[in-house]
Amino acid sequence: MTLHCCQLDLAWENKQANFARARSLLTAVKPQRDSLVLLPELFATGFTMNAAPLAEKPGGETEQFLAGLARELGVFILGGVLGAGRQGRGRNLSVVFSPEGREIARYAKMQTFTVGGETAAYEAGNETVLFTWAGFSVAPFICYDLRFPEHFRVATRQGAQLMTVIASWPVARIEHWVALLRARAIENQAYVAGCNRCGTDPKLAYNGRSLIVNPRGDVLADAGDGEKIIHADVDLSTLQAYRKELPFLADMR
C-alpha cells in the first residue's frame, strides 16, 4: 500500500487558504485509492499559540474538510487539528478519517513544547492511540513527541508497525528531525513517516524534509525543501519477515 506525505507551505492562521492549497496539491497528485495521506501538524492554522479563538469542537470546519476530502479522493487522511481543550486551552490533535469520511482515530499530542509556549496554550494528551490501515497497526504522534522514545516504545508494545509524526519542525533543528525519525524506525523495527511543513510563520522558518523510513532505517522518500508531496510503498509482510529475521523486540525488558 502507498503512503503520502503532503509537505505544505502554510498560510498563517488562514484556514480556508490552507484547505484550498491542500486540496489543490492532492487532487493534482491523485493518490491511489485507500492509500494513507498525511498533512502537517496544525495544518489549517500553523503552529499558533493563539489557540483559544481558533480552537474547534469535534466536527468543526477542519474535521469537516478532512472528512470531505477523504471521501472525495477515496483515501485515508490524517491531519493536524486545533481542537478545544479545557480552561480555554487548545488541543493539538492528529485526527484520521476513512475513505467514507468516518473518523477512525483521534490522538492528542502528549509532549507539548514548553520552550515555544505550547504547554500554556494547549492541554496535553496522556495516551497513545492505534488505528488499523491496510493491515498495519498505526500509531500517530505529533512533532515534539519525537524526542521522547518511551512513547514510541509503548506503541510498539501495543502492536504498532507504522508510526506517523506530523510536525512543524524548524529548519534550525532539521538534522535532529532526520536523525530521530530514523532512530524511531530502527529501534522499533517499524515504518516511520514524518510529515513536516515548509515556509515561514511570524517566528520561525521551516524547510520540510518530510521522510518515509523503513524498519531497517533506510529512507524510502525524502521531500527535501519546499512544498511537495512524496510517497512510498509500505509492505506488512516485509516488516514481519524482518522482525522474524532479527527478533530484537523480543528482548525488551
Side-chain angles (χ1 to χ4, degrees):
M1 291 298 293
T2 306
L3 189 154
H4 299 259
C5 294
C6 187
Q7 184 165 288
L8 293 173
D9 184 347
L10 302 181
W12 184 246
E13 296 184 353
N14 188 334
K15 295 179 183 181
Q16 294 306 315
N18 291 318
F19 295 163
R21 189 58 183 155
R23 172 178 276 111
S24 176
L25 287 174
L26 285 167
T27 53
V29 168
K30 297 179 181 177
Q32 178 185 351
R33 184 168 184 83
D34 293 325
S35 59
L36 175 61
V37 174
L38 310 185
L39 296 171
E41 176 184 24
L42 299 177
F43 83 95
T45 61
F47 187 59
T48 178
M49 296 305 107
N50 188 30
L54 293 169
E56 302 174 15
K57 294 180 180 179
E61 60 180 326
T62 302
E63 292 179 24
Q64 290 177 33
F65 167 76
L66 292 170
L69 191 58
R71 285 193 300 268
E72 179 183 331
L73 298 175
V75 299
F76 292 80
I77 291 186
L78 180 158
V81 175
L82 203 172
R86 295 173 294 184
Q87 299 176 330
R89 291 192 292 173
R91 293 271 277 178
N92 191 338
L93 304 173
S94 179
V95 186
V96 189
F97 292 89
S98 73
E100 296 73 38
R102 179 175 57 87
E103 181 187 317
I104 58 172
R106 177 178 296 259
Y107 166 76
K109 186 177 183 180
M110 288 190 286
Q111 297 292 157
T112 51
F113 187 47
T114 305
V115 174
E118 187 180 12
T119 302
Y122 289 82
E123 178 187 349
N126 56 20
E127 62 182 0
T128 55
V129 170
L130 298 178
F131 68 94
T132 300
W133 166 72
F136 280 92
S137 183
V138 186
F141 293 100
I142 303 175
C143 204
Y144 193 45
D145 289 335
L146 185 60
R147 291 190 180 273
F148 298 86
E150 58 271 23
H151 301 314
F152 291 74
R153 191 61 109 195
V154 167
T156 298
R157 288 182 180 275
Q158 293 173 338
Q161 299 151 323
L162 166 63
M163 299 165 178
T164 63
V165 186
I166 58 174
S168 294
W169 198 287
V171 65
R173 295 182 291 278
I174 202 65
E175 291 304 322
H176 295 188
W177 162 259
V178 173
L180 292 170
L181 287 171
R182 294 188 69 199
R184 298 295 87 83
I186 292 166
E187 68 200 9
N188 293 297
Q189 296 184 292
Y191 285 99
V192 174
C195 184
N196 196 22
R197 66 157 296 179
C198 58
T200 61
D201 66 21
K203 292 184 178 180
L204 296 168
Y206 308 86
N207 66 329
R209 290 299 305 276
S210 297
L211 298 178
I212 302 172
V213 185
N214 75 11
R216 296 178 184 270
D218 303 321
V219 175
L220 301 179
D222 183 338
D225 299 347
E227 193 173 65
K228 62 177 65 71
I229 296 177
I230 58 170
H231 70 274
D233 291 332
V234 295
D235 183 76
L236 184 58
S237 62
T238 298
L239 178 146
Q240 292 169 332
Y242 177 56
R243 286 184 172 184
K244 185 176 181 180
E245 174 193 356
L246 295 170
F248 301 143
L249 298 178
D251 289 332
M252 288 189 293
R253 299 177 63 185

